[in-house]
Amino acid sequence: MPDWFTDAFRTEYERQLELLGRFNLALFGKTGVGKSTLVNAVFGAPVAATGIGEPVTRDSHLYLDDRGQLGLLDTRGLEIGRDDRQLLKELESYVRRMRREPVEAQIHVVWYCVRGMDRRFEPFEAEFVRRLDALDLPVIMVLTQVPRDAAGRLHPDAVALAQHITDLGLPIVDGHPYLTYALEDPFSGQSSYGLTALLEATFRGAPAAVHAALTAAQQIDHRRKAAQARRFIAGTAAGAAATGATPIPFSDATVLVPLQLAMMARISQLYQVPVDRAALMAVASTTVATQAGRASVTGLLKLIPGAGSVAGGAIGAAVASSFTYAMGEAWLAVVERAAAGALRRLDGVLDPDQVRSVFLTELRRRVPGLREP
């Protein structure tokens, strides 16, 4: 694969990052309730390391940490219950200012965290939640570090606290708290739970415009990633059909190159595969796809009734669409394995031969008549 491909892939990778946008999560709660542990569990460590981020304005106690598709708004040096007035003043000023910005600059969801075994929820905390709602911020109430026994029964004190908060009728997403235990503890035998339910609530609270960014940022629901990837693959295949161009990837079909690059880069972004690794995988995959496509283009025509015939280097829309769709599914299989750490490494670098093998195997599953390159 020529050098231009790697450069073009990197450019498209950055463009897809911009197109996905950013999901911004604000975190509130008393010190020590486990906010960082919770965020790390859902979005992948170590996104919530101590001391990260930049103040949103000069002398502000609100800090925004921008990490690709995830933005975290947290506080430093102010305590809920002690500095509520100052904190709310800064937050209200920030919200007013950001309302004039694009959607990716907004605060999309608030997680208000309470340690489940503290057994109390203060009146000032309830008032703080109401003030957040008055700023049109969707608030999800999270009880953290709630233990459960071997039978799956939640600690009764935390259940009672959750019921008490529910009875207050606070303006929170779904009307009740979400009970969680973020980090598995082998010593005590406590397993992690509640994160998927919390993530689902976060999707319900967030505007649809940032669901793609949230899907990419979260690291616990790969079914959502795959579903969004397949929607993009289907859209790319439809675009390929509209061009009616040669389906062989990255050959002389210049009209298809941007479509196929965008498809591969977007899927890489959804699974947060680093650009260097994604580019290496893309080179290995598309090399074998190009070779196989050139070897099998006549056979491809026979597989799809009504596809037409080769004429002037162009092939019917059905073949272009089908090959692009198969290529997208094969690329998705490679990326899923990479994200799961299931691809072999040689001296710390992914083995390109294995990448090519996985890609070709998946491609041939979807194009049964494909000849070996």
Side-chain angles (χ1 to χ4, degrees), residues 166-188:
T166 300
D167 292 342
L168 291 175
L170 294 173
I172 55 179
V173 172
D174 298 329
H176 63 83
Y178 281 85
L179 283 66
T180 66
Y181 200 94
L183 189 62
E184 179 181 356
D185 184 359
F187 181 80
S188 66

Side-chain angles (χ1 to χ4, degrees), residues 26 37 43 56-57 71 90-91 94-95 99 143 167 175 184 231 236 241 298 330 355-356 366 368:
T37 301
F43 296 101
V56 298
T57 60
E90 291 189 16
L91 184 61
Y94 177 64
V95 169
R99 292 292 190 225
L143 298 193
D167 292 342
E184 179 181 356
R231 286 194 292 270
T236 304
T298 303
V355 172
R356 282 191 287 268
R366 293 162 178 85

Side-chain angles (χ1 to χ4, degrees), residues 72-91:
L72 294 174
L73 189 76
D74 205 347
T75 61
R76 299 286 188 273
L78 294 184
E79 283 287 328
I80 293 176
R82 185 190 68 192
D83 306 298
D84 296 28
R85 185 174 301 177
Q86 175 66 21
L87 184 54
L88 284 167
K89 179 180 177 182
E90 291 189 16
L91 184 61

Side-chain angles (χ1 to χ4, degrees), residues 28-184:
F28 295 105
K30 296 178 181 177
T31 300
V33 299
K35 293 177 290 184
S36 294
T37 301
L38 186 66
V39 169
N40 287 340
V42 175
F43 296 101
V47 296
T50 302
I52 59 174
E54 297 293 334
V56 298
T57 60
R58 187 175 181 181
D59 300 325
S60 175
H61 294 84
L62 294 174
Y63 286 75
L64 178 65
D65 182 43
D66 175 6
R67 301 209 175 193
Q69 289 94 14
L70 176 66
L72 294 174
L73 189 76
D74 205 347
T75 61
R76 299 286 188 273
L78 294 184
E79 283 287 328
I80 293 176
R82 185 190 68 192
D83 306 298
D84 296 28
R85 185 174 301 177
Q86 175 66 21
L87 184 54
L88 284 167
K89 179 180 177 182
E90 291 189 16
L91 184 61
E92 288 170 358
S93 175
Y94 177 64
V95 169
R96 283 197 301 271
R97 181 164 54 87
M98 75 178 186
R99 292 292 190 225
R100 300 189 294 269
E101 301 294 328
V103 64
E104 71 171 26
Q106 314 293 317
I107 296 175
H108 304 123
V109 172
V110 173
W111 285 357
Y112 190 93
C113 300
V114 178
R115 188 160 53 191
M117 298 310 294
D118 281 353
R119 299 175 174 83
R120 61 188 305 175
F121 183 68
E122 306 283 359
F124 65 79
E125 294 185 278
E127 181 57 29
F128 193 90
V129 169
R130 294 187 182 98
R131 294 289 296 275
L132 291 174
D133 176 71
L135 293 172
D136 293 325
L137 298 177
V139 180
I140 298 175
M141 182 72 64
V142 189
L143 298 193
T144 65
Q145 304 174 34
V146 176
R148 62 180 180 179
D149 64 18
R153 292 172 296 197
L154 302 173
H155 197 289
D157 289 352
V159 173
L161 178 60
Q163 187 60 56
H164 166 67
I165 294 173
T166 300
D167 292 342
L168 291 175
L170 294 173
I172 55 179
V173 172
D174 298 329
H176 63 83
Y178 281 85
L179 283 66
T180 66
Y181 200 94
L183 189 62
E184 179 181 356

Side-chain angles (χ1 to χ4, degrees), residues 30 49 70 124 166 172 174 195 209 220 222 228-229 238 251 267 279 316 321:
K30 296 178 181 177
L70 176 66
F124 65 79
T166 300
I172 55 179
D174 298 329
L195 302 181
I220 61 174
H222 283 260
Q228 188 168 119
S251 59
I267 294 171
S321 175

